[in-house]
Amino acid sequence: KKQAQQSHVPQALETAKTIGDRKLRIETLGAIAAERAKAGDSKASEQALSVIAEIANRADEQDSAPTPVQGTGAQMVTGAQVIIAQPKSPAVRHKKDKPEISSLEYITEYYINSGDLHLLSKIADKVNDPFRHTLILNKIAQAQIEINHKKAAQATLAQSVGVAKKITNTKDRLQVFSSIASLYRKLEDKEANTVFALAADSARRITDPAERAKVLSTIAKEQATAGYKDSAKQTFAQALAVTSTIMEFSTRADTLRKIVEDQASVKNFDDALNTASRIESVYLRATAFKDIGKMQGQAGHPLAANQTFARALEASRYIDDVDQRAKVLLEINNAQLSALKKP
């Protein structure tokens, strides 16, 4: 840092690169970048940020946390230089660090904690991998939302969507688009539904039909929760269509059971009942009707709940295993008492 203050940036960067502790190396490089930016030396600041981006591009690098820094202005000896860590510096927070945090996570946390979102955005732009790039952008957007910078968050999320479209790994695309949609929801921005559609498109690329149907169902539930009822119905319909391609009996029944749970959880009771009736396993069908009835009762629909509990009891009659049947009957009774009791 002293070298950077004296404009000996190349030497400062080379010294920083030799610091063995990964977290302290990141902090030192961050201090150099901030120092040079403050001094109006944008070129030198960019050089330091590029070195940090190189570390972010090796995001799986991990090491143990360094020894906690104590005192008010503690000294840390690193090679031939001494860095003074002020009390409010992120450098004094190691004792709170999570174990085995990745370099990418630590860089992001460091800059968010220090409030340097602009510099973190510059680092993100230098990260080659689009998945890692979007992870940083989404964290920036989250921080902007928390400080009520709505327009800045919207701009960051729009950038994240553009980068996310370059991700080729299906599960990574799905994770990122789901995260972006969730952040748009926090902003009460209708763009969330557009991103939910991108998430659904990513889900349709999943090769395993059971997993594909379950993920589509989860997205549909999120759409319904966000108020996009029509889009949710379409996505639920896509999930159900996929179940017809699942050849294994128990896997198909389990997948339909998951869709029932998601439909009922967003009070889409009629569709949940129709889905439950398609479950071939009488045990899972009975428990599905039981859960729907319980949710109907809790939602203030006692007559509909009683009708659904009757369907659960009817299905349970065909369970061959005596112990399983007894278990389901007890569960139906308990669910009925819980759902229909007066407050």
Side-chain angles (χ1 to χ4, degrees):
K1 185 177 178 181
K2 187 175 181 181
Q3 290 173 329
Q5 289 171 336
Q6 295 172 349
S7 299
H8 299 156
V9 177
Q11 298 95 316
L13 291 177
E14 289 305 313
T15 302
K17 288 179 183 179
T18 65
I19 298 173
D21 184 280
R22 172 177 52 93
K23 295 181 180 181
L24 189 53
R25 185 164 71 250
I26 291 167
E27 290 174 1
T28 304
L29 289 164
I32 294 171
E35 178 66 37
R36 289 294 83 205
K38 185 178 180 181
D41 188 352
S42 60
K43 182 179 178 181
S45 179
E46 289 287 338
Q47 289 176 330
L49 294 175
S50 294
V51 178
I52 297 173
E54 289 174 12
I55 299 173
N57 281 320
R58 304 190 302 271
D60 295 332
E61 180 187 359
Q62 293 179 339
D63 64 13
S64 58
T67 304
V69 180
Q70 305 292 336
T72 57
Q75 293 186 344
M76 296 174 283
V77 181
T78 58
Q81 64 179 331
V82 176
I83 299 175
I84 306 299
Q86 298 304 320
K88 294 184 179 180
S89 166
V92 304
R93 299 177 184 172
H94 292 314
K95 59 185 176 181
K96 296 182 181 178
D97 289 340
K98 298 175 182 177
E100 299 300 316
I101 188 171
S102 73
S103 293
L104 185 68
E105 291 173 306
Y106 191 73
I107 290 167
T108 305
E109 284 190 11
Y110 172 81
Y111 275 98
I112 287 176
N113 287 341
S114 62
D116 290 326
L117 299 183
H118 177 64
L119 292 180
L120 182 57
S121 180
K122 286 190 172 186
I123 292 170
D125 290 341
K126 297 175 185 293
V127 173
N128 299 325
D129 180 74
F131 175 61
R132 292 171 178 171
H133 190 169
T134 54
L135 291 181
I136 299 176
L137 288 174
N138 289 352
K139 285 290 188 180
I140 293 172
Q142 183 176 327
Q144 290 168 329
I145 291 169
E146 289 174 357
I147 58 177
N148 203 30
H149 288 182
K150 182 177 180 179
K151 288 186 178 180
Q154 288 170 322
T156 303
L157 290 174
Q159 183 185 358
S160 188
V161 169
V163 177
K165 290 177 179 178
K166 301 175 185 177
I167 299 172
T168 56
N169 181 278
T170 297
K171 290 186 178 180
D172 287 348
R173 281 175 66 91
L174 183 60
Q175 176 185 331
V176 166
F177 282 132
S178 297
S179 176
I180 294 170
S182 176
L183 290 167
Y184 268 125
R185 277 186 60 195
K186 289 183 179 180
L187 290 169
E188 298 181 347
D189 190 317
K190 292 181 179 179
E191 192 64 23
N193 201 29
T194 301
V195 182
F196 276 131
L198 292 171
D201 178 66
S202 299
R204 286 191 287 272
R205 303 182 188 190
I206 298 172
T207 54
D208 178 72
E211 184 181 358
R212 183 162 72 250
K214 288 179 179 180
V215 171
L216 283 168
S217 181
T218 299
I219 293 169
K221 180 176 73 171
E222 292 299 318
Q223 288 174 311
T225 302
Y228 306 115
K229 303 293 184 182
D230 292 340
S231 297
K233 274 186 171 290
Q234 292 174 7
T235 309
F236 273 130
Q238 291 169 10
L240 284 167
V242 173
T243 62
S244 64
T245 67
I246 302 171
M247 296 295 104
E248 210 277 317
F249 170 86
S250 61
T251 303
R252 185 168 59 252
D254 179 66
T255 305
L256 286 167
R257 184 74 174 83
K258 154 72 172 157
I259 296 173
V260 168
E261 290 174 4
D262 289 340
Q263 289 173 322
S265 71
V266 293
K267 297 181 173 58
N268 193 349
F269 296 125
D270 289 342
D271 287 346
L273 289 167
N274 288 334
T275 303
S277 67
R278 294 173 54 176
I279 299 174
E280 295 160 279
S281 162
V282 287
Y283 172 76
L284 289 180
R285 193 189 319 146
T287 59
F289 283 135
K290 176 259 299 180
D291 288 344
I292 296 169
K294 183 175 180 179
M295 291 187 205
Q296 286 174 315
Q298 292 172 338
H301 306 296
L303 293 178
N306 275 327
Q307 291 173 352
T308 305
F309 283 129
R311 295 178 73 173
L313 289 168
E314 177 64 19
S316 69
R317 290 175 52 197
Y318 299 96
I319 298 174
D320 293 328
D321 186 279
V322 175
D323 291 336
Q324 267 196 346
R325 185 165 64 249
K327 178 185 176 186
V328 170
L329 287 169
L330 179 61
E331 289 177 357
I332 293 170
N333 181 67
N334 290 339
Q336 198 165 12
L337 290 172
S338 172
L340 302 178
K341 68 180 180 182
K342 294 181 180 179

